[in-house]
Amino acid sequence: MAVRRREAPKAGGVNPNPNASTKVWLFSLLLTLQYGAQPLISKRCTSREVIVTSSVLACEVVKVISAIMLLAKDGSLRKTFKDWTLIGSLTASGLPAAIYALQNSLLQISYRNLDSLTFSMLNQTKLFFTALFTFIILRQRQSIQQIGALFLLIIAAILLSIGEGSSKASSSRNPDEILFYGIIPVLVASVLSGLASALCQWASQVKKHASYLMTVEMSIIGSLCLVASAYKSPDGSAIRQHGFFYGWTPLTWIPVILNAVGGILVGLVTSYAGGVRKGFVIVSALLVTALLQYIFDGKPPSPYCLVALPLVVTSISIYQKYPYRVRKKEL
C-alpha cells in the first residue's frame, strides 16, 4: 500500500498566472509599504484630539466608495446588486462587520499609545487567533511546524508586553497607560480579527459571497453599529458637542484613505497570489515599519523589540513555509 503526500490547498490561495506577475508584484509592494507605514503615518497625521469613531466611520465610507468603484470597473456592479438579498447579507456579513467595527476602534486607540514597531509586532498575534478560529469554525488544521511558529509568536507578544508595560525608561508616559490603552487594545483587536477572518472565510467558502460585496456590506453594517453605539459612548457625546471632524486637519485624511486602500489591496493580493504572498508582505512590512521609525523618529528599536522582531519574522516565515499536508492513502 503506497502513501502519497498531498498538500492541502491554502485558504484563499490562488496561484498567480504568468500574465498577472506584474500586477502581483505591484500590489504586493504597495501593500507592504501601506501596512508598514500605517502606524507611523497614523501617529504623525492624526492628532490626539481626533475622535476615534469619526476616523473609523470615515475609513468605512472610503472603503464602500472604493469597493463600488472596483465592482463598476470590472462590470459586475449591476449583477452583484441584482442578486443581493438582505437575509444573505446579514448571514454572511453581519457578525464579522460588527466585530471589525469594534476591532478598528481598538486599533485606533492602540496606534496612539504604542511606538510603531511594537504595535506592528503585537498586531501579528492575529495570525494565532485566525488559526484557532478557522480550526473551530472550519476545521482547518495546522502542521506541527505551524503550531511551533504560533508559539514563537505568542512568546514575542509576551516579551513586548513585559518590556513596554514595565520599563519606565522606554517612555516618559505612565506604564499603566501604555498597558491599558496600548497593549491590551491591540491584543483584544487581534482576537477579534481572528474571529472575523474565520467568519469571512466561512462566508466566502460556504456561502460563496463575493469579496467586494462583502467589503461594502461589512462597512455599511459596521458603520451602523458604530452610529448606534455613539448614542451612549463618550465618542458620541464628543461628536455631538464638538462636531464630527473635531481635531481633523487635511493630513488626517491620509491615514484614513491609506487604511481603506490597504483593505482593498489585501483582497487583490489574495486574489492574484494567495496566502503565501500575503505572508511575505506581512514580514516585509515589519521591516519597513522598523526602518521608517528609525528614519523619521530617530528612534532605534528597544532591546525587547530587537529580541522579539526575529521571533516574529521567523514565526510568520515558518507558518507560511510549512502548511498542513493531508496524507492520502492509495491501494
Side-chain angles (χ1 to χ4, degrees):
M1 182 167 59
V3 177
R4 186 175 70 184
R5 292 169 68 91
R6 184 184 68 175
E7 182 175 335
K10 300 176 182 66
V14 178
N15 290 330
N17 154 338
N19 296 330
S21 180
T22 302
K23 288 185 177 180
V24 169
W25 280 105
L26 176 61
F27 294 149
S28 297
L29 176 61
L30 291 175
L31 183 57
T32 299
L33 293 174
Q34 182 274 327
Y35 197 97
Q38 186 72 43
L40 192 71
I41 291 174
S42 294
K43 185 178 290 186
R44 295 173 76 92
C45 296
T46 306
S47 71
R48 298 184 69 82
E49 288 76 25
V50 171
I51 302 167
V52 171
T53 298
S54 71
S55 61
V56 174
L57 283 173
C59 180
E60 297 305 321
V61 170
V62 175
K63 282 183 184 178
V64 169
I65 294 172
S66 301
I68 290 175
M69 289 175 63
L70 287 167
L71 282 170
K73 184 179 179 181
D74 65 19
S76 61
L77 180 62
R78 180 175 296 181
K79 182 180 184 304
T80 297
F81 286 99
K82 183 180 179 181
D83 297 336
W84 182 86
T85 63
L86 179 60
I87 299 299
S89 172
L90 292 175
T91 302
S93 304
L95 184 55
I99 292 171
Y100 273 130
L102 176 57
Q103 177 210 350
N104 286 335
S105 296
L106 291 170
L107 289 178
Q108 291 292 328
I109 295 170
S110 185
Y111 273 148
R112 305 177 186 189
N113 294 282
L114 290 176
D115 69 83
S116 303
L117 184 58
T118 300
F119 172 85
S120 291
M121 286 193 285
L122 284 174
N123 198 30
Q124 302 317 306
T125 56
K126 64 188 176 185
L127 181 60
F128 171 83
F129 296 110
T130 300
L132 176 63
F133 286 115
T134 51
F135 173 73
I136 293 173
I137 296 173
L138 296 169
R139 294 300 172 188
Q140 182 176 314
R141 301 179 66 181
Q142 310 296 320
S143 67
I144 296 297
Q145 294 93 331
Q146 286 179 321
I147 293 172
L150 293 173
F151 274 107
L152 281 180
L153 196 63
I154 295 305
I155 291 171
I158 292 172
L159 276 175
L160 287 168
S161 299
I162 294 172
E164 293 297 316
S166 63
S167 177
K168 295 183 179 180
S170 66
S171 174
S172 58
R173 301 182 61 197
N174 187 335
D176 288 340
E177 188 176 350
I178 295 173
L179 176 63
F180 290 107
Y181 294 97
I183 293 171
I184 291 178
V186 72
L187 290 178
V188 173
S190 293
V191 176
L192 295 175
S193 176
L195 176 58
S197 294
L199 290 172
C200 286
Q201 187 174 330
W202 171 81
S204 175
Q205 293 180 355
V206 178
K207 292 292 182 179
K208 307 298 182 184
H209 225 53
S211 173
Y212 290 140
L213 178 59
M214 280 195 71
T215 298
V216 174
E217 292 173 341
M218 289 173 61
S219 293
I220 292 175
I221 295 171
S223 296
L224 291 175
C225 291
L226 280 177
V227 170
S229 67
Y231 280 103
K232 295 293 183 180
S233 70
D235 276 8
S237 300
I239 290 174
R240 290 190 291 272
Q241 182 178 354
H242 301 292
F244 187 85
F245 292 107
Y246 177 72
W248 281 59
T249 68
L251 292 177
T252 309
W253 282 103
I254 296 175
V256 168
I257 293 172
L258 282 179
N259 197 19
V261 171
I264 300 297
L265 286 172
V266 167
L268 291 171
V269 170
T270 303
S271 173
Y272 278 96
V276 173
R277 182 58 62 92
K278 193 167 72 173
F280 168 77
V281 167
I282 292 172
V283 175
S284 302
L286 286 173
L287 303 179
V288 169
T289 301
L291 178 62
L292 292 178
Q293 181 173 278
Y294 181 70
I295 291 173
F296 291 102
D297 291 345
K299 180 181 178 183
S302 70
Y304 290 97
C305 284
L306 290 175
V307 174
L309 179 58
L311 289 178
V312 172
V313 173
T314 302
S315 169
I316 299 177
S317 298
I318 292 174
Y319 188 88
Q320 297 294 335
K321 189 175 180 180
Y322 299 99
Y324 178 76
R325 297 173 183 271
V326 177
R327 292 178 180 269
K328 185 177 179 181
K329 296 182 178 180
E330 293 184 346
L331 293 177

